[in-house]
Amino acid sequence: MKRIDLFLTDREVAKVCKAIRKAGAPGYSVMRHVTGMGMAGEISEAMDFSGLGANAHVIVFCEAAVVEAIRSAVRPLFDLYGGVGFISNAEEL
Amino acid sequence: MKRIDLFLTDREVAKVCKAIRKAGAPGYSVMRHVTGMGMAGEISEAMDFSGLGANAHVIVFCEAAVVEAIRSAVRPLFDLYGGVGFISNAEEL
Amino acid sequence: MKRIDLFLTDREVAKVCKAIRKAGAPGYSVMRHVTGMGMAGEISEAMDFSGLGANAHVIVFCEAAVVEAIRSAVRPLFDLYGGVGFISNAEEL
Amino acid sequence: MDSSLVLQNLVSAPILFFFLGIIGVLVGSDLEIPAPLPKLFSLYLLLAIGFKGGLELAHSGLGAQVLITIGAAVLMSLLVPISSYLFLRTRIDSYNAAAMAASYGSISAVTFITAQSFLNVLHVSFDGFMVAALALMESPAIVVGVLLAKLGSSSSRSGASPAATGLPWREVLQEAFLNGSVFLLIGSLVIGYLVTSFSPAGLEKMDPFTEKLFYGALCFFLLDMGIVAAQRLQDLRRAGAFLIGFALVAPLLHALLGLGIARLIGLNQGDSLLFMVLCASASYIAVPAAMRMTVPQANPSLYISAALGLTFPFNVVVGIPLYMALVQRFVPVL
Amino acid sequence: MDSSLVLQNLVSAPILFFFLGIIGVLVGSDLEIPAPLPKLFSLYLLLAIGFKGGLELAHSGLGAQVLITIGAAVLMSLLVPISSYLFLRTRIDSYNAAAMAASYGSISAVTFITAQSFLNVLHVSFDGFMVAALALMESPAIVVGVLLAKLGSSSSRSGASPAATGLPWREVLQEAFLNGSVFLLIGSLVIGYLVTSFSPAGLEKMDPFTEKLFYGALCFFLLDMGIVAAQRLQDLRRAGAFLIGFALVAPLLHALLGLGIARLIGLNQGDSLLFMVLCASASYIAVPAAMRMTVPQANPSLYISAALGLTFPFNVVVGIPLYMALVQRFVPVL
Amino acid sequence: MDSSLVLQNLVSAPILFFFLGIIGVLVGSDLEIPAPLPKLFSLYLLLAIGFKGGLELAHSGLGAQVLITIGAAVLMSLLVPISSYLFLRTRIDSYNAAAMAASYGSISAVTFITAQSFLNVLHVSFDGFMVAALALMESPAIVVGVLLAKLGSSSSRSGASPAATGLPWREVLQEAFLNGSVFLLIGSLVIGYLVTSFSPAGLEKMDPFTEKLFYGALCFFLLDMGIVAAQRLQDLRRAGAFLIGFALVAPLLHALLGLGIARLIGLNQGDSLLFMVLCASASYIAVPAAMRMTVPQANPSLYISAALGLTFPFNVVVGIPLYMALVQRFVPVL
Ligand SMILES: Nc1ncnc2c1ncn2[C@@H]1O[C@H](COP(=O)(O)O)[C@@H](O)[C@H]1O
Ligand SMILES: Nc1ncnc2c1ncn2[C@@H]1O[C@H](COP(=O)(O)O)[C@@H](O)[C@H]1O
Ligand SMILES: Nc1ncnc2c1ncn2[C@@H]1O[C@H](COP(=O)(O)O)[C@@H](O)[C@H]1O
Ligand code: NA
Ligand code: NA
Ligand code: NA
C-alpha cells in the first residue's frame, strides 16, 4: 500500500480531489490552511481575506496500482499551477 | 519505530487520544478541520456551525510494541463510528 | 529522498523555517493549530486568545544530505523549547 | 391566501441574503464563509435569542398559559418523531428513520427567528415565552430518536451489535440536554431571566448587542445557510423521491397539527404562527451532532440534507407566509 | 494644497489603525489577526457597502447621470489596464504585465470606503450610485487582463503551452464576475435596492449592522491591512525600482485622468473624489484570486505587493487628501 | 461587608455568562468557542478599552494626579513580582517562581473591565487614565520575571545552560513591550488620545463599535473565559496545595497593598477599586506568551492554571465586590 502526499494551492483542491476519486482511490484527506515554501516562494495565510487562500495538503492511502492514475492526473495541474507530490510505503493499521 | 496515521470524526478525538495515552505512546499530535472522503462519503466543514465537525488527523510516532495496543483500542471505535488507520516506518530525527 | 516531520510550538515556527531554508531544503510545509501531547504535557488551542498558540507540524521532503543540517539546526531549539522530530523514507511522485 | 404576505417575506433582507447564498452556489460563485465564522453567528444568535426570551419571560411571568404552551410544545416534540418514525419505517431502515424522526421532532432556531422577524415586520405581537417552548423542544426528540433506533434495531435483529446491547443513557441524555447549542440557548434564557429580574440596569447595556445587532447578524448567517442549503440540495438526488416528498409534506402536516393545538390552547396570532413553525421545522443544529454520536449507523447526509436542503428553505420562503395566512384565517385576533 | 486636509486624514481613526498595523510589523511586534478573522471583516465591509449603495441607488434612481457615470467607470476599467499593460510590457514579461494591469484597472473597495469616510468628516456629500460604479469596475479589468496575457504570450511564443491554446472563457468569466467578493458586493447592492424599494421597514433594522458598526469595523480591518501591507512592503525589494515607481506614479496619473473625466461628465465634488479614487486604486482582493487561477504564470508576489504594499498606503495616506485638494481646485461646488 | 454588592455582581450578565461557561465544563457540555473566535473578542476588548482610555485621558489631561497614579502603578508592577518571587522560591524552583511572579505582577485586562462594568452599575465614576496605568503595568513585570529567572538559576547552578548564559535583552524587551496584546492596548490608547485631541468628529462614529457593543462582547468573551478557566481548574490538582493557596491569598494581599497606596495618593473611590484590581489580578494574556519564549523552563500549566483557573474567577466573582466594600469603608467620597 502507498501513501501519497500532495501540496498545492487551496483553490485547486476540488480539481485534484475529483481526479483522485476518478483514479479509484478508496478515500483521501485534505488539510487546508497550510503555509510553506516551494519553487513559487513563500505562501502565507495573510492574503486569505482576499480569497487567495494558502496551500492544502492532500493525503491518499491507496494501492500501488492507483498511484499511476493519480500521478498522471495531478501532473498537468502541478505544471500549470505549481504544487508538489511525494510517495512512500504504508500498510493498513 | 512506527508512525501511525488515524483519520476519524472530530468528535471521537478525545476518546481516541485517551486510548493512545493508555496504550503507552510517548506522545501524539492532532490536526482538526480535516475534510475528505471515505466509505461514509464526503466530509466537509460546512456543517461546522451545527456542532457536527469534520474529521481529525491523529499522528502517533511510537515503538512497534505500542502499535498493537493502539490498534485494538481504536478498532471498535472505527467499527462503530467509521475512521481509518495506516502505519509506516520511521525513526527519530 | 527523506521525509522529516517536526512538531513544535507555534511561536518557534519562524525560527525553524529559517533554519530549514538555510539548510538547503527545496521547500517545506507548515500546519498550525496542531494540538497534542508530549513530554511537556497536553497542548490545546484553548489559550490561543492569549497569544500562546498551540503546536505546529512542519513537513520537509528533502535529500538525505540536507537532513543532517536540519537536525543540527533544530536540535538546540528542541532542547530549549521542546518539540520532537521524526524521519522516514519517501520518493517524489 | 394573501399573496402580499409571500411578497412581504420575499423582499425582506434576511430572505434575500438567503437567496443570495443559494444563487451563489447555483451559478458557481466561490463565495464562502469559512469555518468557524458561521459558528460565531450561530452561537451569537442562540445567545441573543435566549437572552431576549428570558427577558420577556421575566416580564410575562410563568402563568398557566405559559405552562400549558410549553407543555403542548414538549408533547409535540414527542408525538412528531414517533409518528414520523412509523411512517418513514415503511420505506427506510430503522436507524435512518429514527434519525430523520428526531430531526423533524426537534426544531430549527433560525426558522423560528425568521418567523419572529416576519411578525415584527407585520407588527403582529408574540410572547417571549415561545422561546422557552423552542428551547424545550430540542432535546426530547433526540431521546425519542435514540429510543426508536434502539427498539427498531433490536426487534429486527438478534441485537448482538455493540450499539444494540443496552442504551448508553448517560451519553444519550448528555447529547440531548448538554449539547452545546441546547446548553447555550437554555443558559442564555436563564441569564436573561435573572438579569431582568434582579439587575434590570444591565438590560440596556446588553441591548446594542442582543437586540440592535440581531437583524444584520441574521442576514449574514442566512447568507451562509443559503450556501450550505444549496450544497445540500445537490446531495438530495441520492436521497430519493420518498425522502424528498417527506421533507416537503411533513412540515405542512406538522404545521396543521400545530395550528389545531394552538387553537385548542388559545394562543394569539403571533404565538400561533411561532408554534406552527416550531412543529413544522426540522433541526439541523443540535440533532445531527447528537445523532452522529448516538446513532452512528444512520447516514447524516440523508437527514441533514432533508432538513437543511429542503425543509428549511421551504419553511423560510413559502411556509412562514403560508402558515400566517392560515393563522389569519383560523385564529381570532384576541 | 491645503495641508489641513492631509492632517485631517492622518488623525482619523481608520488611518491611525492602519499605521498601527504598519508600525507593529516594523518594530517586530507579534500582533496578528489570525485567519479567517480578516475575511470576516472583508465580507462584512463588502456586504455593508453594497447594501448602503443599493439603498442610496434606490433613493436616487437610475437617471441619465447615473448611467453616464457608470459607463465612464466601466470605460476606465478597460482603458487603464490596456495602457498600463503597454507601458509595463516595455520592461516586464507579458504574464506579469497583464496581471499588474488587471490590478490597476480594477479597484480597491477599502480605499473607496476610506475616501467616503474622509468625505463624511469634511461634510462633503456624495451619491450612492458611486458604489454601483465601484461594483462594475471590478470585473472588466480582469477579463482584459486575461486577454492581454493570452495575446501577449501567443505573440511572443509559438503558443503551444496548455494555457496559451484557446481562452477558457467559462473560467475567465466565472473568475471575473462570480468571484466571491464581486458577487457579494453586487448581490448586497441588489438586496439594498430591493429592500429600500419594496420593504423600507427593514432598513431601520439593518442600520445598526450596516451603518453604525461600519466605522469601527473599518478601523479593525485597516489594522490588519496595515500589518499585511507592511509585510508586503518588505517583499518589494525584490520587485525592483521599475515596479516601485509604477506603483507610486500610476495612481497619480490615473487619478488625474479620472479628474478630467469627472469634470467632463459634470460630477459633483464628492463623486469626483470617489471617481478619482476608483481610477487610482488597484485591486488586491478580487484580482489576485482571479489572476492566480487564470494567469498562473504571473508571480502573485509582484502584483499583490505593488497594489497592497505601495499603491494602497499611498492612496489612503497621501492620495485621498491630495486628490481632494485637486477636486476643490478644479471641480466647482454644484 | 455589604452582601448586596456581591449579589449585584453575581446577577450581572458578564458574571452569569462566566458561570455558564464554568457550568458547561463541569456538567460535560460540549459547548466550545473554537479558535480563533476568542482571539477576535480579546483583540476587540483590548482595542476598545485602549481607545476609550485614550479618549478619557485626552479629556482629563496629563496632570500631576495622573502621573503619580501611573508611577504608583508601575512601582507596584515591580514590587509585586519581586516579593512574590521571594515567597514562592521557598517552595518551588526558580523558573516557575519567576514565571508565577511575572503573572501576578502583571495585570488582567478582563478583570479590570469587569470592575469597570461593576462601577458603572453602581454609578461610581472612575477616571480614564486608569487604563494608562493598566497598559503600563503589563510589561515591567515581564522584564522583572525574566531577570529573576536568570538570577535565580545562575545562583543555583554553575550557569552553563544556554539559557543561563547572558540575558537576550532584545528578545526580552520585545516580548515585554511589543507583545501583540500590549502593543494593541497601548496603540489604541494613543489613537484614542489623538482622535479625541485632533479629530473629535470621529469619536461619535467609533462609539457604536467601541462603546455600545462593549458590554455584550464582554459577556461573550467571559463565556469563553469560564470554559477555559474551568478546564484549567481541573489541571490545578497537579499544582498542589501551595500554589492553590498562593493563587487565592496573593490577590487579597496585593489588593490590600493597593488600597494602602490608593489611599496614600488620594485616589477617588472608583479609581481606588480599579487600582486594587490591577494589583490583585494576575496576567494570563501577555505574560504566558512572553514567559513561554523567555523562560521556557517554567511549566506554563502551573502559572496559567493558577492565574486563570483560580485568581481570575476569585477576583471576578468574590474579589471585586469585596474590594469595593473595603473601598467604601476606607476611601472617602471626594
Ligand atoms: N484511503 C484514504 N486515504 C486518506 N484518508 C482517508 C482514506 N480513507 C478514509 N480517509 C479519511 O478518513 C475519513 C473517514 O473514513 P471512512 O470512515 O471510510 O468514511 C474520511 O472522511 C477521510 O478523511
Ligand atoms: N510520539 C509523538 N507522536 C506524535 N507527536 C508527538 C509525539 N511526541 C510529541 N509530539 C508532538 O510534539 C509536541 C511537543 O512535544 P514535547 O516537546 O515532547 O512536549 C507535542 O505537544 C505533540 O504535539
Ligand atoms: N520539499 C518540500 N517539502 C514539503 N513541502 C513542500 C516542498 N516543496 C514544496 N512544498 C509545498 O508545496 C507548495 C507548493 O510548492 P511549489 O509549487 O514548489 O511552490 C509549497 O508552498 C509548500 O507548501
Ligand atoms: Na419540529
Ligand atoms: Na483602478
Ligand atoms: Na497584578
Side-chain angles (χ1 to χ4, degrees):
Chain A
M1 174 159 237
K2 294 291 177 183
R3 171 204 178 102
I4 302 177
D5 286 277
L6 308 172
F7 299 92
L8 59 150
T9 304
D10 208 338
R11 303 201 46 164
E12 282 104 52
V13 166
K15 278 182 198 160
V16 165
C17 290
K18 211 170 141 191
I20 293 171
R21 278 199 298 272
K22 232 165 128 188
Y28 57 80
S29 294
V30 180
M31 273 141 272
R32 289 174 64 185
H33 310 293
V34 175
T35 55
M37 203 265 294
M39 275 182 359
E42 269 188 70
I43 303 295
S44 84
E45 268 201 307
M47 291 302 294
D48 188 65
F49 69 88
S50 75
L52 198 67
N55 289 331
H57 179 192
V58 180
I59 304 180
V60 193
F61 288 91
C62 60
E63 293 313 318
V66 178
V67 171
E68 197 43 56
I70 292 181
R71 179 188 291 129
S72 50
V74 300
R75 184 55 52 209
L77 284 170
F78 283 2
D79 285 344
L80 187 55
Y81 295 112
V84 294
F86 303 95
I87 180 167
S88 47
N89 292 313
E91 38 186 312
E92 231 161 307
L93 180 71
Chain B
M1 176 160 236
K2 294 289 177 185
R3 171 203 179 102
I4 303 177
D5 286 277
L6 308 172
F7 298 92
L8 59 150
T9 303
D10 207 339
R11 302 203 46 165
E12 282 104 52
V13 165
K15 277 182 199 158
V16 165
C17 289
K18 211 170 143 190
I20 293 171
R21 277 199 298 272
K22 232 166 130 187
Y28 56 81
S29 294
V30 180
M31 271 140 276
R32 291 174 62 187
H33 310 293
V34 175
T35 56
M37 203 264 294
M39 276 183 359
E42 268 187 71
I43 303 296
S44 84
E45 269 201 307
M47 292 301 294
D48 187 65
F49 69 88
S50 76
L52 197 67
N55 288 332
H57 178 192
V58 181
I59 304 179
V60 193
F61 287 91
C62 60
E63 293 312 319
V66 179
V67 172
E68 198 43 56
I70 292 181
R71 180 189 288 127
S72 51
V74 300
R75 184 54 53 209
L77 285 170
F78 283 2
D79 285 344
L80 188 56
Y81 294 112
V84 294
F86 303 95
I87 181 166
S88 47
N89 292 314
E91 38 186 312
E92 230 160 309
L93 179 69
Chain C
M1 177 161 235
K2 294 292 177 183
R3 172 204 178 101
I4 303 177
D5 286 277
L6 308 172
F7 298 92
L8 60 150
T9 304
D10 208 339
R11 303 202 45 165
E12 281 104 53
V13 166
K15 277 181 198 158
V16 166
C17 290
K18 211 170 142 190
I20 293 171
R21 277 199 298 271
K22 233 165 127 188
Y28 57 81
S29 293
V30 180
M31 272 141 274
R32 292 173 62 186
H33 310 292
V34 175
T35 54
M37 202 264 294
M39 275 181 1
E42 268 189 71
I43 302 295
S44 85
E45 269 201 306
M47 292 301 294
D48 187 64
F49 69 88
S50 76
L52 198 68
N55 288 331
H57 178 192
V58 180
I59 305 180
V60 192
F61 287 91
C62 60
E63 293 312 317
V66 178
V67 171
E68 198 44 55
I70 292 181
R71 179 188 290 126
S72 50
V74 300
R75 184 55 52 211
L77 284 171
F78 283 1
D79 286 345
L80 187 56
Y81 294 112
V84 294
F86 304 94
I87 179 165
S88 47
N89 292 314
E91 37 186 312
E92 228 160 311
L93 179 71
Chain D
M1 172 187 166
D2 186 354
S3 76
S4 81
L5 282 179
V6 179
L7 191 71
Q8 197 81 52
N9 190 44
L10 284 185
V11 294
S12 73
I15 302 301
L16 288 171
F17 277 105
F18 182 66
F19 277 120
L20 188 63
I22 291 180
I23 293 170
V25 174
L26 297 185
V27 299
S29 167
D30 64 349
L31 177 62
E32 63 153 5
I33 300 177
L37 301 182
K39 179 101 186 186
L40 173 66
F41 286 89
S42 114
L43 291 171
Y44 165 76
L45 292 177
L46 291 169
L47 188 157
I49 196 190
F51 189 87
K52 295 196 289 179
L55 185 162
E56 291 176 49
L57 201 58
H59 285 151
S60 69
L62 277 169
Q65 178 69 70
V66 177
L67 295 176
I68 289 172
T69 309
I70 290 177
V74 172
L75 196 76
M76 281 300 286
S77 77
L78 299 170
L79 264 181
V80 167
I82 294 173
S83 62
S84 298
Y85 177 82
L86 294 176
F87 175 71
L88 287 162
R89 208 54 194 84
T90 61
R91 300 285 287 271
I92 62 176
D93 69 280
S94 173
Y95 295 123
N96 281 305
M100 282 285 279
S103 266
Y104 283 79
S106 184
I107 50 78
S108 151
V110 181
T111 313
F112 182 84
I113 292 171
T114 312
Q116 286 187 326
S117 292
F118 181 69
L119 289 173
N120 278 332
V121 170
L122 297 184
H123 300 291
V124 175
S125 68
F126 51 86
D127 286 301
F129 61 73
M130 291 308 292
V131 174
L134 163 84
L136 294 176
M137 282 179 85
E138 293 234 57
S139 309
I142 293 173
V143 179
V144 172
V146 179
L147 276 174
L148 291 169
K150 161 80 182 132
L151 292 174
S153 60
S154 59
S155 63
S156 59
R157 307 207 225 160
S158 53
S161 91
T165 50
L167 200 60
W169 275 108
R170 221 191 92 89
E171 201 178 328
V172 171
L173 293 178
Q174 178 134 340
E175 288 292 336
F177 291 98
L178 297 177
N179 191 299
S181 52
V182 175
F183 183 79
L184 180 58
L185 181 63
I186 296 184
S188 303
L189 188 93
V190 173
I191 290 177
Y193 190 94
L194 291 175
V195 169
T196 311
S197 307
F198 300 109
S199 176
L203 291 179
E204 203 191 325
K205 301 180 75 181
M206 281 301 269
D207 189 69
F209 189 71
T210 50
E211 186 70 43
K212 295 273 191 304
L213 216 58
F214 193 76
Y215 196 75
L218 177 62
C219 289
F220 204 101
F221 189 60
L222 279 174
L223 176 63
D224 185 60
M225 299 305 290
I227 295 172
V228 182
Q231 288 166 344
R232 284 293 162 181
L233 204 58
Q234 299 178 331
D235 276 11
L236 264 179
R237 273 161 296 170
R238 264 171 268 159
F242 177 69
L243 285 187
I244 293 178
F246 180 83
L248 293 174
V249 174
L252 279 174
L253 292 179
H254 297 152
L256 285 176
L257 201 58
L259 178 63
I261 293 180
R263 197 78 184 73
L264 212 74
I265 62 177
L267 294 183
N268 65 29
Q269 288 202 339
D271 294 350
S272 294
L273 178 72
L274 295 180
F275 195 84
M276 289 173 78
V277 162
L278 287 178
C279 296
S281 68
S283 167
Y284 46 82
I285 294 201
V287 171
M291 284 297 123
R292 176 75 189 72
M293 298 312 290
T294 52
V295 189
Q297 300 87 348
N299 179 357
S301 87
L302 288 187
Y303 51 91
I304 298 176
S305 299
L308 182 51
L310 277 180
T311 303
F312 175 66
F314 174 81
N315 275 327
V316 152
V317 176
V318 182
I320 292 175
L322 178 65
Y323 309 153
M324 191 64 210
L326 292 172
V327 163
Q328 288 179 341
R329 182 124 170 64
F330 295 108
V331 178
V333 181
L334 297 187
Chain E
M1 171 184 170
D2 186 356
S3 76
S4 82
L5 282 179
V6 179
L7 189 72
Q8 195 82 49
N9 189 44
L10 284 185
V11 295
S12 73
I15 302 300
L16 288 170
F17 276 106
F18 182 67
F19 278 119
L20 189 63
I22 290 181
I23 294 170
V25 173
L26 296 186
V27 300
S29 167
D30 64 350
L31 175 63
E32 62 153 4
I33 301 177
L37 301 181
K39 178 101 184 186
L40 173 65
F41 287 89
S42 112
L43 290 172
Y44 165 76
L45 292 177
L46 290 170
L47 188 156
I49 195 188
F51 190 86
K52 295 196 291 177
L55 185 160
E56 292 177 48
L57 200 58
H59 284 151
S60 69
L62 275 170
Q65 177 70 69
V66 177
L67 295 177
I68 288 172
T69 309
I70 291 178
V74 171
L75 195 78
M76 281 300 286
S77 77
L78 298 171
L79 263 181
V80 166
I82 294 175
S83 61
S84 298
Y85 177 81
L86 293 177
F87 175 70
L88 288 163
R89 207 58 193 79
T90 61
R91 298 284 287 270
I92 62 176
D93 70 279
S94 173
Y95 294 123
N96 281 305
M100 283 283 280
S103 267
Y104 282 80
S106 185
I107 51 79
S108 152
V110 180
T111 312
F112 182 84
I113 293 170
T114 311
Q116 286 188 326
S117 293
F118 181 68
L119 290 173
N120 278 332
V121 170
L122 297 184
H123 300 291
V124 175
S125 68
F126 51 87
D127 286 301
F129 61 73
M130 291 308 293
V131 174
L134 162 85
L136 294 177
M137 282 179 85
E138 293 233 56
S139 309
I142 294 174
V143 178
V144 172
V146 179
L147 276 175
L148 291 170
K150 162 78 183 133
L151 292 174
S153 60
S154 58
S155 64
S156 59
R157 306 205 226 161
S158 54
S161 91
T165 51
L167 200 59
W169 275 108
R170 223 192 92 88
E171 204 178 327
V172 171
L173 293 177
Q174 177 134 340
E175 289 291 337
F177 291 98
L178 297 176
N179 192 299
S181 51
V182 175
F183 183 78
L184 180 58
L185 181 63
I186 296 183
S188 303
L189 188 93
V190 172
I191 292 177
Y193 189 94
L194 291 175
V195 170
T196 310
S197 307
F198 300 108
S199 177
L203 291 179
E204 203 190 325
K205 301 180 78 183
M206 282 300 270
D207 189 69
F209 188 70
T210 48
E211 186 69 41
K212 295 274 192 303
L213 215 59
F214 193 76
Y215 196 75
L218 177 62
C219 289
F220 204 101
F221 189 61
L222 278 174
L223 175 63
D224 185 59
M225 298 305 291
I227 295 172
V228 181
Q231 289 166 343
R232 284 294 162 179
L233 206 57
Q234 301 177 331
D235 276 11
L236 263 181
R237 272 161 297 170
R238 265 172 266 158
F242 177 69
L243 284 186
I244 293 179
F246 180 82
L248 293 175
V249 175
L252 279 174
L253 292 180
H254 297 151
L256 285 177
L257 201 57
L259 178 62
I261 294 179
R263 198 77 185 68
L264 210 74
I265 62 177
L267 295 182
N268 65 28
Q269 288 202 340
D271 293 351
S272 294
L273 178 73
L274 296 180
F275 196 83
M276 288 173 79
V277 161
L278 288 178
C279 296
S281 68
S283 167
Y284 46 83
I285 295 201
V287 172
M291 286 297 121
R292 177 75 189 73
M293 298 311 289
T294 51
V295 189
Q297 299 87 347
N299 179 357
S301 87
L302 289 187
Y303 51 92
I304 299 176
S305 299
L308 182 51
L310 276 180
T311 303
F312 176 65
F314 174 80
N315 275 326
V316 152
V317 176
V318 181
I320 293 176
L322 178 63
Y323 309 153
M324 191 64 208
L326 291 173
V327 163
Q328 288 179 339
R329 184 126 169 61
F330 295 108
V331 178
V333 181
L334 297 185
Chain F
M1 171 184 166
D2 186 354
S3 76
S4 82
L5 281 181
V6 180
L7 190 70
Q8 195 82 52
N9 189 45
L10 283 184
V11 295
S12 73
I15 303 300
L16 288 170
F17 276 105
F18 182 67
F19 277 120
L20 188 62
I22 290 179
I23 294 169
V25 174
L26 297 185
V27 300
S29 167
D30 64 350
L31 176 63
E32 62 153 3
I33 300 177
L37 300 182
K39 178 100 187 189
L40 173 65
F41 287 90
S42 112
L43 290 172
Y44 166 77
L45 291 178
L46 290 170
L47 188 156
I49 194 189
F51 190 86
K52 296 196 291 180
L55 187 160
E56 292 178 49
L57 200 58
H59 284 150
S60 68
L62 275 170
Q65 178 71 70
V66 177
L67 295 176
I68 289 171
T69 309
I70 291 177
V74 172
L75 195 76
M76 281 301 287
S77 78
L78 298 170
L79 263 182
V80 166
I82 294 174
S83 62
S84 297
Y85 177 81
L86 293 177
F87 174 71
L88 288 163
R89 207 56 195 81
T90 61
R91 298 285 285 272
I92 61 177
D93 69 278
S94 172
Y95 294 122
N96 281 305
M100 284 284 279
S103 267
Y104 283 80
S106 185
I107 50 79
S108 150
V110 181
T111 313
F112 181 84
I113 293 170
T114 312
Q116 285 187 327
S117 292
F118 182 68
L119 289 173
N120 278 332
V121 169
L122 297 184
H123 299 292
V124 175
S125 68
F126 50 87
D127 286 300
F129 61 71
M130 291 308 291
V131 175
L134 162 84
L136 294 177
M137 281 178 85
E138 293 234 57
S139 309
I142 294 174
V143 178
V144 172
V146 179
L147 276 175
L148 291 169
K150 161 80 183 132
L151 292 174
S153 60
S154 59
S155 64
S156 59
R157 307 205 224 160
S158 55
S161 91
T165 51
L167 200 59
W169 275 108
R170 223 191 92 88
E171 203 177 328
V172 171
L173 293 177
Q174 178 135 339
E175 288 293 335
F177 291 97
L178 297 176
N179 192 300
S181 52
V182 174
F183 183 78
L184 180 58
L185 182 63
I186 295 185
S188 302
L189 188 93
V190 172
I191 292 177
Y193 189 93
L194 290 176
V195 171
T196 311
S197 307
F198 300 108
S199 177
L203 291 179
E204 203 191 324
K205 301 180 76 182
M206 282 300 271
D207 189 70
F209 188 71
T210 49
E211 186 69 43
K212 297 272 191 305
L213 216 59
F214 193 77
Y215 196 75
L218 177 62
C219 290
F220 203 102
F221 189 61
L222 278 174
L223 175 63
D224 184 60
M225 298 306 291
I227 295 172
V228 181
Q231 288 166 344
R232 285 292 161 180
L233 205 57
Q234 299 178 331
D235 276 11
L236 264 180
R237 274 160 298 171
R238 264 172 267 158
F242 177 69
L243 283 186
I244 294 178
F246 180 83
L248 293 174
V249 174
L252 279 174
L253 293 179
H254 296 152
L256 285 177
L257 200 58
L259 178 61
I261 292 179
R263 198 77 184 72
L264 211 73
I265 61 177
L267 294 183
N268 65 28
Q269 288 202 340
D271 293 350
S272 294
L273 178 73
L274 294 180
F275 195 83
M276 288 174 80
V277 161
L278 287 178
C279 296
S281 68
S283 167
Y284 46 83
I285 295 201
V287 171
M291 285 296 123
R292 177 75 189 72
M293 298 311 291
T294 53
V295 189
Q297 300 87 348
N299 180 356
S301 87
L302 288 188
Y303 51 91
I304 298 176
S305 299
L308 182 52
L310 276 180
T311 303
F312 175 65
F314 174 81
N315 275 326
V316 152
V317 176
V318 182
I320 292 174
L322 178 63
Y323 308 153
M324 192 64 208
L326 291 173
V327 163
Q328 289 178 341
R329 183 124 170 62
F330 295 108
V331 178
V333 181
L334 296 188

